[in-house]
Amino acid sequence: MDLQTRVNMDARVARAQPEALDEIQRADYNPEYRIDLERVRFSPYFSRLSAVTQVISQAGASPLIHNRLTHSLKVTAVSRAIAVAVDNGLVGTTSALSPQHSPGGCDAVVVQAAASAHDLGHPPFGHLGENVLNRIARDTLGLADGFEGNAQTYRILTALDVCDGATQGLNLTAAVRTAVSKYPWTPAMEGLDLGEAHGPGLPRGLKRVDGEVVARKYSAYFLEQDDLEEARRSAPGLAPWEQSLECSVMDIADDIAYSIHDVDDFYRAGILSQVAVSREFKGWLENATELRLLAAPELELAGVRNHAGEGLEALRRRIHRDDPWIADDDAFAEAVRVVSDDLVEGLLSTVFDGSIAAERRLSTFTSTWIAHFERSIVPAPPDTPRTGIVTLDTRAWHEVKVLKFVHKHFILNRPDIAMYQRGLSQVLVGLVSAFTEWLDDDHDRKRVPRRLIEMVDLATDGYQRLAAERPYLVEDTGQAHLRRLGRGRGVIDYVASLSDGQAIAVAEALNGRTDRLWDIGQSL
């Protein structure tokens, strides 16, 4: 059965349940959660996302490609559709979603607020910026909790952003703060019991390095640890690593949107080669048995792969290694076939030329896949730390992995993109270095941007409280060291709050080269 046929069948099932759809229209109005949603959407940090790269910049491709704002809006739409289905019993069995996970069901407004907020912490230049700032924070500035986009989001919501009636932060409800926390721990992982009784595998975001568990992703810095713990106490039934139901819905919606609109972007930009992608998919489908016999080192060697299909075979093995709870070779093979038919031999067989016909083909592809994924949500198996409370069914889960593979394998490793990203990384390195030196300049410190000074003061106050309440998280509780930490965190907060264009313009100004001096001055 092809993808479109399955989606049509799902739609007929939905139309056959008018009572459930009526309930959707009569959803309860919760003013506190509505206020949360409005505060996020009226935030300047939310508006800034329109000028922050998703994967490739608009200047380098087309003004129609996704940025962090359009991505967040689409995640919000997908997550609301899933939340409504969950709350109305249209997902799996209602017994699998116990009340302890979300008293009163899955609140669609909480989900929308979390989806709108989930990318606020992304710095300039997408995931590249996140990696560069993390390295600088740890290796240069001595911040043990580094930089992480999810943790920066939580810091914005609870400390950096402002609203009427709160001394700092947006004063959001515990439900929304919990729903934003996809990785509900800090790098210290305090209270995170990962005993064998919790099933095989580590929660996503954690990994083992030389036998030690390390937090690769986390939802709060040490400074916001108390706030995160307080928020999660509102849902006492959650395991220490477990997402709330609303968070789980938002997280899976993020995966769905990401897997589809990256393909959309690269198809529009004309940089997805149908020949190259077809060769990889056909190579795996025709030679899967032989590829399985390859030794692991042969698949992991750097450089150009020797055989078509090796990338997909490496993906299949990673799924078995990281996610044995759902890994299924038959589902993987079917996912490869479906994506090959619909994307490789379907959408990519015709070049995107900007015509109405091309837009219609792309719209059909996108809407069909999203509708399919929205109706593939099922309760997750119990005691599985690798997934949230809800997940995709086995086949759809593998389809998302295969769709993500396309952009990771054929786009992110391109030499031209790598070259451009290396240049952007130097912009961020230069910004952090220049602002740090300026703050240390006794002769010119008075002219440092006021907002940067405020961020440094806020961070310094935070480290002083941390030293008093949790001194074991601070290497040295001396005032000089706490001021250095505050300066480092404040500079990182400031640079991370810039848009792509602002970061480049400010870097040029700091090097004495700019034709936008008065423009950038108003935003500092």
Side-chain angles (χ1 to χ4, degrees), residues 76-125:
T76 301
V78 174
S79 62
R80 183 190 184 282
I82 297 172
V84 167
V86 170
D87 198 42
N88 286 277
L90 303 181
V91 172
T93 59
T94 55
S95 62
L97 303 175
S98 64
Q100 70 177 11
H101 293 133
S102 182
C106 184
D107 193 291
V109 181
V110 172
V111 170
Q112 290 176 84
S116 296
H118 84 283
D119 264 355
L120 292 182
H122 268 285
F125 316 135

Coordinates of all heavy atoms in Angstrom, one line a residue, residues 76-125:
T76 N 4.5 23.9 15.9 CA 3.3 24.2 16.7 C 2.1 23.6 16.0 O 1.2 23.1 16.7 CB 3.2 25.7 16.8 OG1 4.4 26.3 17.4 CG2 2.0 26.1 17.6
A77 N 2.0 23.8 14.7 CA 0.8 23.2 14.0 C 0.7 21.7 14.1 O -0.4 21.1 14.4 CB 0.8 23.7 12.5
V78 N 1.8 21.0 13.9 CA 1.8 19.6 13.9 C 1.6 19.1 15.4 O 0.8 18.2 15.6 CB 3.2 19.0 13.4 CG1 3.3 17.5 13.6 CG2 3.4 19.4 12.0
S79 N 2.2 19.8 16.3 CA 2.0 19.3 17.7 C 0.6 19.5 18.2 O 0.1 18.7 19.0 CB 3.0 20.1 18.6 OG 2.8 21.4 18.6
R80 N -0.1 20.6 17.8 CA -1.4 20.8 18.2 C -2.3 19.7 17.6 O -3.2 19.2 18.3 CB -2.0 22.2 17.7 CG -3.4 22.4 18.2 CD -4.0 23.6 17.5 NE -5.4 23.8 18.1 CZ -6.4 23.1 17.8 NH1 -6.4 22.2 16.9 NH2 -7.6 23.4 18.4
A81 N -2.1 19.3 16.4 CA -2.9 18.2 15.8 C -2.7 16.9 16.6 O -3.7 16.2 16.8 CB -2.5 18.0 14.3
I82 N -1.5 16.6 16.9 CA -1.3 15.4 17.7 C -1.9 15.5 19.1 O -2.5 14.6 19.6 CB 0.3 15.2 17.8 CG1 0.8 14.9 16.4 CG2 0.6 14.0 18.7 CD1 2.4 14.8 16.4
A83 N -1.7 16.7 19.7 CA -2.2 16.9 21.1 C -3.7 16.7 21.1 O -4.3 16.0 22.0 CB -1.9 18.2 21.6
V84 N -4.4 17.2 20.2 CA -5.9 17.1 20.1 C -6.3 15.6 19.9 O -7.2 15.1 20.6 CB -6.5 17.9 18.9 CG1 -7.9 17.6 18.7 CG2 -6.3 19.4 19.3
A85 N -5.5 14.9 19.1 CA -5.8 13.5 18.9 C -5.6 12.7 20.1 O -6.4 11.8 20.5 CB -5.0 12.9 17.7
V86 N -4.5 13.0 20.8 CA -4.2 12.3 22.1 C -5.3 12.6 23.1 O -5.8 11.7 23.8 CB -2.8 12.7 22.6 CG1 -2.6 12.2 24.0 CG2 -1.7 12.2 21.7
D87 N -5.6 13.8 23.3 CA -6.6 14.2 24.3 C -8.0 13.7 24.0 O -8.8 13.5 25.0 CB -6.7 15.8 24.4 CG -7.3 16.2 25.7 OD1 -7.0 15.7 26.7 OD2 -8.1 17.2 25.6
N88 N -8.3 13.4 22.8 CA -9.6 12.8 22.4 C -9.6 11.3 22.2 O -10.5 10.8 21.6 CB -10.2 13.5 21.2 CG -10.6 15.0 21.5 OD1 -11.7 15.2 22.0 ND2 -9.7 15.9 21.3
G89 N -8.5 10.7 22.7 CA -8.5 9.2 22.6 C -8.3 8.6 21.2 O -8.7 7.5 21.0
L90 N -7.8 9.4 20.3 CA -7.6 8.9 18.9 C -6.2 8.3 18.7 O -5.9 7.9 17.6 CB -7.8 10.0 17.9 CG -9.2 10.7 18.0 CD1 -9.3 11.8 16.9 CD2 -10.3 9.7 17.9
V91 N -5.4 8.2 19.8 CA -4.1 7.6 19.7 C -4.0 6.4 20.5 O -4.1 6.4 21.7 CB -3.0 8.6 20.2 CG1 -1.6 8.0 20.3 CG2 -3.0 9.8 19.3
G92 N -3.8 5.2 19.8 CA -3.6 4.0 20.5 C -4.7 3.7 21.5 O -5.9 3.9 21.3
T93 N -4.3 3.2 22.7 CA -5.2 2.9 23.8 C -5.1 4.0 24.9 O -4.0 4.3 25.3 CB -4.9 1.5 24.4 OG1 -3.6 1.5 24.9 CG2 -5.1 0.5 23.3
T94 N -6.2 4.5 25.4 CA -6.1 5.5 26.4 C -5.5 5.0 27.7 O -4.9 5.8 28.4 CB -7.5 6.1 26.7 OG1 -8.4 4.9 27.0 CG2 -8.1 6.7 25.4
S95 N -5.6 3.7 27.9 CA -5.0 3.2 29.1 C -3.5 3.3 29.2 O -2.8 3.3 30.2 CB -5.4 1.7 29.3 OG -4.9 0.9 28.2
A96 N -2.9 3.4 28.0 CA -1.4 3.5 27.9 C -0.9 4.9 28.3 O 0.2 5.1 28.6 CB -0.9 3.2 26.5
L97 N -1.8 5.9 28.3 CA -1.4 7.2 28.7 C -2.1 7.5 30.0 O -3.2 8.0 30.1 CB -1.9 8.2 27.6 CG -1.4 7.9 26.2 CD1 -2.0 8.9 25.2 CD2 0.1 8.0 26.1
S98 N -1.4 7.1 31.1 CA -2.0 7.2 32.4 C -2.1 8.6 32.9 O -1.3 9.5 32.5 CB -1.2 6.4 33.4 OG 0.1 7.0 33.5
P99 N -3.1 8.9 33.7 CA -3.3 10.3 34.2 C -2.1 10.9 34.9 O -1.9 12.1 35.0 CB -4.5 10.2 35.2 CG -5.2 8.9 34.7 CD -4.1 8.0 34.2
Q100 N -1.2 10.0 35.5 CA 0.0 10.6 36.2 C 0.9 11.4 35.3 O 1.6 12.3 35.7 CB 0.8 9.4 36.8 CG 1.6 8.6 35.8 CD 2.4 7.5 36.5 OE1 2.3 7.3 37.7 NE2 3.3 6.9 35.7
H101 N 0.8 11.1 34.0 CA 1.7 11.8 33.1 C 1.2 13.2 32.8 O 1.9 14.1 32.5 CB 1.8 11.0 31.7 CG 2.6 9.8 31.9 ND1 2.1 8.6 31.3 CD2 3.7 9.5 32.5 CE1 3.0 7.6 31.6 NE2 3.9 8.1 32.4
S102 N -0.1 13.4 32.8 CA -0.7 14.7 32.5 C -2.1 14.8 33.1 O -3.0 14.4 32.4 CB -0.7 15.0 31.0 OG -1.2 16.3 30.8
P103 N -2.3 15.2 34.3 CA -3.6 15.3 34.9 C -4.5 16.1 34.0 O -4.2 17.2 33.6 CB -3.4 16.0 36.2 CG -1.9 15.8 36.5 CD -1.2 15.7 35.2
G104 N -5.7 15.5 33.6 CA -6.6 16.1 32.8 C -6.4 15.9 31.3 O -7.1 16.5 30.5
G105 N -5.4 15.1 30.9 CA -5.2 14.8 29.5 C -4.0 15.7 29.0 O -3.3 16.3 29.7
C106 N -4.0 15.7 27.7 CA -2.9 16.4 27.0 C -3.5 17.8 26.6 O -4.4 17.9 25.8 CB -2.5 15.7 25.7 SG -1.1 16.4 24.8
D107 N -2.9 18.9 27.2 CA -3.4 20.2 26.9 C -2.8 20.8 25.7 O -1.6 21.0 25.6 CB -3.1 21.1 28.1 CG -3.9 22.4 28.0 OD1 -3.6 23.2 27.2 OD2 -4.8 22.6 28.9
A108 N -3.6 21.0 24.7 CA -3.1 21.5 23.4 C -2.5 22.9 23.5 O -1.6 23.2 22.7 CB -4.3 21.5 22.3
V109 N -3.0 23.7 24.4 CA -2.4 25.1 24.5 C -1.0 25.0 25.1 O -0.1 25.7 24.7 CB -3.3 26.0 25.3 CG1 -2.7 27.4 25.4 CG2 -4.7 26.1 24.7
V110 N -0.8 24.1 26.1 CA 0.5 23.9 26.7 C 1.5 23.4 25.6 O 2.6 23.9 25.5 CB 0.4 22.9 27.8 CG1 1.8 22.5 28.3 CG2 -0.3 23.5 29.0
V111 N 1.0 22.5 24.8 CA 1.8 22.0 23.7 C 2.2 23.1 22.7 O 3.4 23.2 22.3 CB 1.1 20.8 23.0 CG1 1.8 20.4 21.7 CG2 0.9 19.6 23.9
Q112 N 1.2 23.9 22.4 CA 1.5 25.0 21.4 C 2.5 26.0 22.0 O 3.4 26.5 21.3 CB 0.2 25.7 21.1 CG -0.7 24.9 20.2 CD -2.0 25.7 20.0 OE1 -2.1 26.5 19.1 NE2 -3.0 25.4 20.8
A113 N 2.4 26.3 23.3 CA 3.4 27.2 24.0 C 4.8 26.6 24.0 O 5.7 27.3 23.7 CB 2.9 27.5 25.4
A114 N 4.9 25.3 24.3 CA 6.2 24.7 24.3 C 6.8 24.6 22.9 O 8.0 24.8 22.7 CB 6.0 23.3 24.9
A115 N 5.9 24.3 21.9 CA 6.4 24.2 20.5 C 6.9 25.6 20.0 O 7.9 25.7 19.3 CB 5.3 23.7 19.6
S116 N 6.2 26.6 20.4 CA 6.6 28.0 20.0 C 7.9 28.4 20.6 O 8.7 29.1 20.0 CB 5.5 29.0 20.4 OG 4.3 28.8 19.7
A117 N 8.1 27.9 21.9 CA 9.3 28.3 22.6 C 10.5 27.4 22.4 O 11.6 27.8 22.7 CB 9.0 28.3 24.1
H118 N 10.3 26.3 21.8 CA 11.4 25.2 21.9 C 12.7 25.6 21.3 O 13.8 25.1 21.6 CB 10.9 23.9 21.3 CG 11.0 23.8 19.9 ND1 10.2 24.4 19.0 CD2 11.9 23.1 19.1 CE1 10.5 24.0 17.7 NE2 11.6 23.3 17.8
D119 N 12.7 26.5 20.3 CA 14.0 26.9 19.6 C 14.5 28.3 20.0 O 15.4 28.8 19.3 CB 13.8 26.8 18.1 CG 14.3 25.5 17.6 OD1 14.8 24.7 18.4 OD2 14.1 25.2 16.4
L120 N 13.9 28.9 21.0 CA 14.3 30.3 21.3 C 15.8 30.4 21.6 O 16.4 31.4 21.4 CB 13.5 30.8 22.6 CG 12.0 31.0 22.4 CD1 11.5 31.6 23.7 CD2 11.7 32.0 21.3
G121 N 16.4 29.3 22.1 CA 17.8 29.4 22.6 C 18.8 29.1 21.5 O 20.0 29.2 21.7
H122 N 18.3 28.9 20.2 CA 19.3 28.6 19.2 C 20.1 29.9 18.8 O 19.5 31.0 18.6 CB 18.6 28.1 17.9 CG 18.6 26.6 17.9 ND1 19.7 25.8 17.6 CD2 17.6 25.7 18.2 CE1 19.4 24.6 17.7 NE2 18.1 24.5 18.0
P123 N 21.4 29.8 18.8 CA 22.2 31.0 18.5 C 22.3 31.2 17.0 O 21.7 30.5 16.2 CB 23.6 30.5 19.1 CG 23.6 29.1 18.8 CD 22.2 28.6 19.0
P124 N 23.1 32.3 16.6 CA 23.3 32.5 15.2 C 23.9 31.2 14.5 O 24.6 30.5 15.1 CB 24.2 33.6 15.1 CG 24.1 34.3 16.4 CD 23.8 33.3 17.4
F125 N 23.5 31.0 13.2 CA 24.1 30.0 12.4 C 23.7 28.6 12.7 O 24.5 27.6 12.5 CB 25.6 30.1 12.3 CG 26.1 31.6 12.1 CD1 27.1 32.1 12.9 CD2 25.4 32.4 11.2 CE1 27.5 33.4 12.8 CE2 25.9 33.7 11.1 CZ 26.9 34.2 11.9

